[in-house]
Amino acid sequence: MTRRFFSVLPLLFLLAACGGGAVAPVFGPDGKPLPRIYQIQPRDTAEIQFRMLDAVNTLRGASGAENVALNAELNAAAATHARDMSVQNRPWHFGSDGSSPLDRVARVGYTGTLLGENISETYESELQTLAAWMAMQDTRGVIVDPRARQMGFAWFQEPNGKIWWTLILGT
């Protein structure tokens, strides 16, 4: 199972490198490429959510787990938390009102069992963020949990380009 996971990981990095089209790099005075802001438009929501769903399901398949499906309630809980992390200006699992991930999924009417929540504060794309989550044992465990059947995924992007990502998996 581990060998299959590591055989799919390079594919994920390749997909992350491809997400956004070919744009010539801009170089700074030191001759090094300047970082690009991954700018998300409102019209990109479905494309980004389904790109993440496809990547997650590819990784789950490599680990022997069944596919997950997007869930509207989990998407809503993820979106609420992504915006709230921005307001708090810190990536953590508690809301500004003291709510936990369990509280947030209950508030949106989710009737399944919450299995885990991955969060990130970054300027990177969703696939780069997924690759970072897969590189850490605890966040990878949430993504490939064999009990998961549903996924919520959302983000909030600040005007400066910083993105607050939230991924939630449930039964």
Side-chain angles (χ1 to χ4, degrees), residues 130-163:
L130 179 58
W133 285 335
M134 291 301 290
M136 296 173 26
Q137 184 176 0
D138 57 340
T139 51
R140 179 177 58 247
V142 170
I143 294 165
V144 299
D145 187 325
R147 300 170 295 166
R149 296 294 177 267
Q150 298 177 328
M151 179 180 100
F153 179 66
W155 59 90
F156 178 76
Q157 186 167 33
E158 297 178 354
N160 68 5
K162 184 189 296 183
I163 308 169

Side-chain angles (χ1 to χ4, degrees), residues 37-158:
I37 293 178
Y38 181 66
Q39 191 63 47
I40 301 172
Q41 302 300 321
R43 67 180 178 268
D44 299 333
T45 299
E47 179 182 343
I48 290 170
Q49 284 182 321
F50 283 105
R51 187 168 42 235
M52 179 63 103
L53 178 66
D54 288 344
V56 164
N57 281 332
T58 298
L59 293 166
R60 289 178 59 78
S63 73
E66 292 184 25
N67 285 353
V68 293
L70 282 174
N71 175 279
E73 288 89 8
L74 292 180
N75 283 342
T80 299
H81 191 56
R83 181 176 289 275
D84 191 46
M85 285 189 297
S86 171
V87 168
Q88 297 181 71
N89 196 33
R90 64 178 166 180
W92 74 325
H93 294 283
F94 295 96
S96 56
D97 61 355
S99 62
S100 71
L102 289 169
D103 298 326
R104 288 190 296 276
V105 299
R107 283 181 190 162
V108 297
Y110 184 66
T111 58
T113 301
L114 172 73
L115 296 174
E117 175 184 74
N118 288 348
I119 58 174
S120 180
E121 167 195 17
T122 185
Y123 291 88
E124 296 178 329
S125 74
E126 69 280 359
L127 295 178
Q128 291 168 315
T129 301
L130 179 58
W133 285 335
M134 291 301 290
M136 296 173 26
Q137 184 176 0
D138 57 340
T139 51
R140 179 177 58 247
V142 170
I143 294 165
V144 299
D145 187 325
R147 300 170 295 166
R149 296 294 177 267
Q150 298 177 328
M151 179 180 100
F153 179 66
W155 59 90
F156 178 76
Q157 186 167 33
E158 297 178 354

